[in-house]
Amino acid sequence: MDKKQKYRKITFFRDYFQTFFDKQTKKVKAKIVWTFDLIEDLQRVPETYLKHIENTDGLYEIRVQSGNDIFRIFCFFDQGKLVILANGFQKKTQKTPKREIELALKIKAEYENEK
């Protein structure tokens, strides 16, 4: 069977994302995995699923919705094709909490310093 080409590869940095993922329900985990597959497989990912965060240097959010629950997983690109996952959280307000963005930027800086 021919494995179809992936446009991106999602990878974890440390256990920031894993910690968040482990706390989710089975249903939410399945939706997150489904969304990751979509991001890896589609050449152009709709903003519904992956969106650049304004006024940040290359920070993106992966958007996951399961029922009425909305989740955001921050990520950034490395070498154009590698998607590095940072922190994730459940979104309860219209605006993304500043501290979550700050944490994601801190993780990104950490990653870049270690490369």
Side-chain angles (χ1 to χ4, degrees):
M1 194 171 105
D2 189 26
K3 187 133 175 61
K4 69 181 186 179
Q5 182 195 350
K6 292 200 178 287
Y7 289 97
R8 282 163 220 89
K9 178 169 174 19
I10 290 181
T11 181
F12 299 15
F13 174 59
R14 298 238 171 95
D15 58 359
Y16 295 110
F17 169 73
Q18 194 63 52
T19 304
F20 159 77
F21 188 76
D22 290 344
K23 292 178 194 155
Q24 305 312 316
T25 64
K26 211 171 164 169
K27 194 175 160 199
V28 170
K29 284 180 181 173
K31 189 67 189 258
I32 289 172
V33 170
W34 179 89
T35 308
F36 286 174
D37 286 343
L38 190 102
I39 289 167
E40 287 187 331
D41 295 343
L42 291 184
Q43 190 167 2
R44 288 185 56 106
V45 181
E47 272 201 351
T48 330
Y49 300 108
L50 183 67
K51 187 173 191 269
H52 180 255
I53 295 176
E54 284 174 31
N55 309 321
T56 66
D57 180 23
L59 195 62
Y60 289 78
E61 61 178 12
I62 294 172
R63 311 169 98 178
V64 178
Q65 187 159 354
S66 176
N68 291 328
D69 296 327
I70 297 171
F71 299 89
R72 294 291 184 260
I73 299 152
F74 290 114
C75 62
F76 46 92
F77 287 83
D78 185 13
Q79 300 152 355
K81 284 190 171 210
L82 205 57
V83 181
I84 314 295
L85 298 179
N87 50 321
F89 69 99
Q90 184 167 358
K91 196 167 172 184
K92 295 180 187 328
T93 58
Q94 203 49 46
K95 213 164 151 35
T96 298
K98 203 170 171 54
R99 65 187 169 84
E100 295 290 352
I101 293 175
E102 283 163 2
L103 176 61
L105 289 169
K106 197 182 117 230
I107 294 168
K108 184 174 186 278
E110 227 175 89
Y111 174 81
E112 285 162 356
N113 289 339
E114 284 181 25
K115 249 174 52 164

